[in-house]
Amino acid sequence: MKKIAVLTSGGDSPGMNAAVRAVTRTACHFGYEVIGVEKGFNGLISADFRRLGKTDVSGIIQRGGTILRSARSEEFRTPEGRVKAAKNLKSEKVGALVVIGGDGSFRGATILAEEHGIEVVGIPGTIDNDLIGSDETIGYDTALNTAMDAIDNIRDTADAHERLFLVEVMGRHSGFIALETGIATGAELIILPEALKKTEEIKSSLRNTMQGKKRSTLVVIAEGEETGGAVRISSELEEDFGKYEMKVCILGHIQRGGSPTARDRVLSSRLGYEAVKAIYSGKTKVMVGIVNNEVKITPIENTFGKIKQINFDLLEMYKILR
Ligand code: F6P
């Protein structure tokens, strides 16, 4: 095998560039040619390829976003789209494809491997941290810190006006970001899909908090159908808590951008390096992850579709510390 292709797919996450750099440089070290695929699976379908050498990935370790760009490809969900993608990879004589992305991207990569025998290796890249097989995913730590900084700012103004703030963070169907930013910012209440609360419970919890001597109250809420998000919860609370000048703040995509933290840069570097080492030693159809600070190789089809559990001990802890 002489050629490795690499792409970034799905929602981008800070550290993807560092992973592309690590894949490229490790592959060059082992004597592979590297093909960068533009715009995720869309670029596989349209053969939007470019050669990557060691210096093409200079100066990107600190940059958010992804130099290869990303997409959620509708065409790749169709068998016809995947036929085109596989054909382009084969005519380019690509021996293995490295997919940096989240659960949807790994589902797509798994199907491509099953249908067309493409050798794929996944690198977990999503701010949601919802993939099985790695304690953390690329971008999660940066997103946490970005959300934490934003919520710290909100706390200042909330204190000044003695207000109640409902802050919505990302996470799609999982509460990792909500739980850890809630702890890190001393939120009075955290609402997440893994530990849903009825409106009455939320109200009584807020009443208890507000009877204390705190100046402001911060509620961190994970986005999505499960929790209802900050807007829906605020409408349910308006009648009882409107007098506190309740404010809703949705942090949104600012959590996906920005320069990756040191932890994310190191994680991305390790995973990029390990992905190429896996290919070199003939291990494909896997995802590389880090568990308890050790490299873990998991069959790619086992990394998505199941719920990665949050640490429920942390939930108990915050109830005492808040
Ligand atoms: O998967 C990462 C993520 O940022 C989720 O937290 C969020 O639900 C989703 O992507 C948003 O996707 P999009 O940018 O396509 O709206």
Side-chain angles (χ1 to χ4, degrees):
M1 187 199 295
K2 283 275 172 278
K3 265 191 203 174
I4 291 179
V6 57
L7 60 80
T8 50
S9 169
D12 61 315
S13 62
M16 279 184 164
N17 279 327
V20 170
R21 170 182 179 271
V23 167
T24 303
R25 293 202 169 156
T26 311
C28 290
H29 173 80
F30 283 111
Y32 294 111
E33 217 179 279
V34 184
I35 302 293
V37 182
E38 300 278 346
K39 301 186 200 165
F41 292 121
N42 281 341
L44 278 189
I45 293 168
S46 57
D48 200 350
F49 298 152
R50 66 166 145 141
R51 179 91 190 270
L52 291 178
K54 282 179 87 166
T55 53
D56 295 314
V57 292
S58 295
I60 64 168
I61 193 169
Q62 77 281 19
R63 281 171 57 191
T66 156
I67 58 160
L68 293 176
R69 293 175 282 175
S70 193
R72 301 191 195 278
S73 174
E74 281 307 319
E75 198 179 352
F76 193 73
R77 291 177 202 270
T78 66
E80 297 76 21
R82 294 191 295 273
V83 166
K84 285 188 206 160
K87 199 165 144 256
N88 288 333
L89 282 170
K90 284 175 186 168
S91 62
E92 192 67 28
K93 296 197 171 35
V94 168
L97 171 69
V98 177
V99 174
I100 307 170
D103 57 350
S105 308
F106 287 0
R107 196 180 294 274
T110 303
I111 299 174
L112 186 69
E114 281 165 2
E115 287 178 346
H116 300 283
I118 303 293
E119 304 300 344
V120 295
V121 171
I123 295 181
T126 165
I127 63 164
D128 297 343
N129 196 31
D130 57 352
L131 286 164
I132 311 264
S134 193
D135 287 342
E136 289 194 4
T137 56
I138 291 172
Y140 172 60
D141 185 59
T142 308
L144 280 185
N145 281 286
T146 304
M148 181 187 73
D149 288 346
I151 297 172
D152 284 349
N153 289 355
I154 291 170
R155 178 69 90 177
D156 289 344
T157 175
D159 272 353
H161 289 267
E162 301 190 341
R163 279 174 172 163
L164 162 62
F165 264 85
L166 307 185
V167 184
E168 182 180 302
V169 296
M170 275 187 167
R172 202 182 287 267
H173 303 296
S174 68
F176 284 97
I177 299 178
L179 177 60
E180 294 214 65
T181 53
I183 290 170
T185 56
E188 278 67 32
L189 191 59
I190 304 172
I191 301 176
L192 60 167
E194 295 86 348
L196 287 173
K197 289 190 185 318
K198 298 206 166 63
T199 307
E200 276 318 309
E201 283 179 85
I202 297 174
K203 285 183 182 172
S204 91
S205 188
L206 285 178
R207 274 188 210 104
N208 286 340
T209 309
M210 290 169 143
Q211 273 158 16
K213 294 212 172 75
K214 290 198 168 189
R215 288 199 175 177
S216 60
T217 302
L218 271 180
V219 183
V220 174
I221 301 165
E223 65 171 346
E225 277 297 299
E226 295 93 341
T227 64
V231 171
R232 199 176 87 198
I233 293 179
S234 84
S235 69
E236 287 163 2
L237 299 179
E238 184 57 38
E239 201 182 319
D240 297 32
F241 294 91
K243 57 179 177 286
Y244 296 104
E245 291 188 83
M246 186 168 52
K247 300 283 174 187
V248 169
C249 193
I250 298 174
L251 298 189
H253 288 77
I254 65 159
Q255 294 159 98
R256 282 237 299 257
S259 180
T261 58
R263 210 159 113 192
D264 266 326
R265 294 181 201 191
V266 174
L267 178 68
S268 305
S269 301
R270 281 181 89 179
L271 293 179
Y273 168 74
E274 293 299 337
V276 176
K277 273 180 44 188
I279 293 167
Y280 190 68
S281 57
K283 287 184 212 133
T284 55
K285 302 189 177 67
V286 296
M287 182 195 88
V288 291
I290 304 287
V291 173
N292 293 331
N293 206 23
E294 302 217 330
V295 179
K296 178 150 193 234
I297 308 279
T298 307
I300 194 163
E301 71 272 15
N302 295 347
T303 61
F304 57 86
K306 276 170 272 160
I307 291 174
K308 178 173 171 185
Q309 291 296 348
I310 56 158
N311 183 346
F312 285 93
D313 291 344
L314 294 184
L315 209 52
E316 290 312 307
M317 181 193 77
Y318 110 86
K319 289 181 193 157
I320 293 170
L321 301 189
R322 67 186 161 173

